[in-house]
Amino acid sequence: MKFFLNLFTIIMKMYNFNHEIENIAKSFDKPPIFDGIINEIDYKNANVKLLWVLKDANSNGEDESYDLRLAINDLKTESGIRKGWANTFANIVYVTNGILNNNTWEEVPYYYDDPSFVDALKKIAYINVKKTGGGSQSIKNELQDYYNFSKDLLFNQINEFNPDVIIFGNTYFFFKNDLGLNEMVSFGTCEAIKDAKRIYINANHPNARISQEKYFNDVLEAYNHFKD
């Protein structure tokens, strides 16, 4: 019974977050793009609760409203990842499997060889700083405006989802002053720190121009350093 009560609470919170996202989008006169926990049951049952924080959705943001949770939940295809999404989500799939399943790079197959590994995305939470669409390249000043306007919602999402690990995909600089964490430890292309609540990893955007193996190994080294 307690499990279902907790699940109901999460679902109601997500419903409230949807309204907040709609209000933010209305303030910027653009359609909302919803985000959050991809699958409430899978996230709650995950051995590690993992939150990815990115900048914005690759959308023109002018005439399209959609739910990223539904899109990510349905990202797997017979050939791996839905067309147009792999540039960002391939690295998210690999790193998520590495953390949730304690895999090394050699143990994680390429998503197109074993599409079942894409299902790990159903166990994560995923939020964007900008709750409306963006183009193929983000505009820093615009994102800063969105962060400042949406800060309360972003931190409410983090607090409600209560992740064990947050991976910032080139977004940590927005949150840095408000989080007030100690200086991070460097791990190749990323850095990380742990406080009493969770591990924070400041990584490149998953679509960064570094090898997938390098991206995976650096993030996993950071996570494994702090997980115990």
Side-chain angles (χ1 to χ4, degrees), residues 2 8 15 28 34 37 61 65 68 71 85 103 110 115 118 147 165-166 172 178 213 216:
K2 184 178 180 181
F8 177 76
Y15 178 80
F28 286 91
F34 303 99
I37 294 174
S65 175
L68 273 168
W85 292 69
N103 292 141
Y110 288 111
V118 179
Y147 174 79
V165 182
I166 300 179
Y172 177 67
D178 294 306
E213 182 177 1
F216 177 97

Side-chain angles (χ1 to χ4, degrees), residues 3 7 37 39-46 122:
F3 172 85
L7 181 60
I37 294 174
N39 182 296
E40 288 84 0
I41 294 176
D42 287 346
Y43 181 80
K44 186 167 182 57
N45 288 331
K122 296 181 180 182

